[in-house]
Amino acid sequence: ASDVYKRQVMNTEYEFEGEVGQIVYVKPVKVADLPKDVQAQVEGLDQLYAVHDSSGERLALVKERDMAFVLARQYDMAPVAVH
């Protein structure tokens, strides 16, 4: 499970796999709900934004909502907000 969190935390690059146009979901995540090792990497933040695929697998964690959408589009994915 920790591998999922390491895929995209802040400025760490990762090559996403998936179909062009694949729908991905962007949602806010409380830092307090993340594993301790991830929390240590994002000191001073209360919230991050997660990008998930349709199966629920977390593909990325980023600092800002807009960044999550840009990141998904850079990989030819179609981001959708989840509240």
Side-chain angles (χ1 to χ4, degrees):
S2 63
D3 179 49
V4 173
Y5 296 108
K6 293 178 184 174
R7 290 188 176 183
Q8 179 73 30
V9 176
M10 306 311 278
N11 296 319
T12 303
E13 293 184 19
Y14 175 77
E15 288 293 325
F16 286 178
E17 297 177 13
E19 301 174 22
V20 171
Q22 171 186 355
I23 293 176
V24 292
Y25 302 93
V26 176
K27 71 176 193 172
V29 177
K30 292 180 182 178
V31 170
D33 293 340
L34 297 171
K36 297 293 182 196
D37 61 324
V38 175
Q39 290 180 34
Q41 295 179 49
V42 294
E43 288 183 37
L45 297 176
D46 295 325
Q47 178 175 278
L48 295 174
Y49 290 86
V51 179
H52 291 266
D53 66 12
S54 60
S55 70
E57 181 178 4
R58 183 174 290 154
L59 303 174
L61 286 171
V62 294
K63 184 176 177 179
E64 299 169 355
R65 184 179 183 272
D66 290 344
M67 187 187 305
F69 279 82
V70 169
L71 178 69
R73 289 183 184 120
Q74 284 179 341
Y75 287 92
D76 297 320
M77 296 178 176
V80 175
V82 177
H83 301 280

